[in-house]
Amino acid sequence: MKSKQTEFVIFDTETTGLSVTNGDRILEIAAIRIKNGEILDRFESFINPERSIPESVQNIHGITKNIVKNAPKSEEILPEFLHFIGGSCLIGHNVKFDLDFLCYQLSLISRKLKNETPAIDTLKMAKYFLPHLSTYTLSSVALSFGVKIKET
């Protein structure tokens, strides 16, 4: 994979909880597509999970049932997201978590990622290249490079 010729999609999900196998679902998916250091496109959507959102989880990401009650369902949004990523290399912080949710919910609508879709985990990279950090949250890693994260 030659990075100058490769499109990268950096993405993140917010979910109703931590376990896809226990019924948790994606509430929000957001991504940017980059090539040669330039942002080519953006994708963002709330998703109606069609289930409750525990208060403890709402306190983490601030997404409530009222925010997602009129949002499109995953069967509407996820095919659009597949089109958005195309053949790009996926990047995420703890990307396995996001991919587990994405792949499971795609399977519910008889869709899937392309088998050859590469993925890069910035959490694994941070632990390897920044062993001196005491925590590996995305904001901690960014701060170690002098990048301030704007809290929403």
Side-chain angles (χ1 to χ4, degrees), residues 52-122:
S52 64
I53 306 168
E55 188 174 334
S56 60
V57 175
Q58 291 177 48
N59 292 336
I60 294 169
H61 51 53
I63 302 172
T64 64
K65 185 81 171 168
N66 285 338
I67 291 172
V68 296
K69 71 180 177 185
N70 295 319
K73 296 176 182 164
S74 63
E75 58 265 23
E76 298 170 61
I77 293 303
L78 296 184
E80 289 179 27
F81 186 68
L82 281 179
H83 179 75
F84 177 83
I85 63 174
S88 300
C89 176
L90 299 175
I91 300 175
H93 199 69
N94 194 14
V95 76
K96 183 181 181 324
F97 177 85
D98 299 300
L99 286 173
D100 284 350
F101 273 89
L102 179 60
C103 290
Y104 182 76
Q105 285 192 238
L106 284 169
S107 74
L108 295 177
I109 58 171
S110 301
R111 303 288 299 266
K112 64 181 184 174
L113 286 174
K114 294 178 182 176
N115 288 339
E116 67 277 0
T117 302
I120 297 172
D121 189 341
T122 59

Side-chain angles (χ1 to χ4, degrees), residues 93 122 133 135-151:
H93 199 69
T122 59
L133 293 182
T135 181
Y136 292 93
T137 62
L138 188 55
S139 58
S140 296
V141 172
L143 192 58
S144 77
F145 287 102
V147 177
K148 293 183 181 178
I149 302 292
K150 182 175 70 173
E151 299 294 326

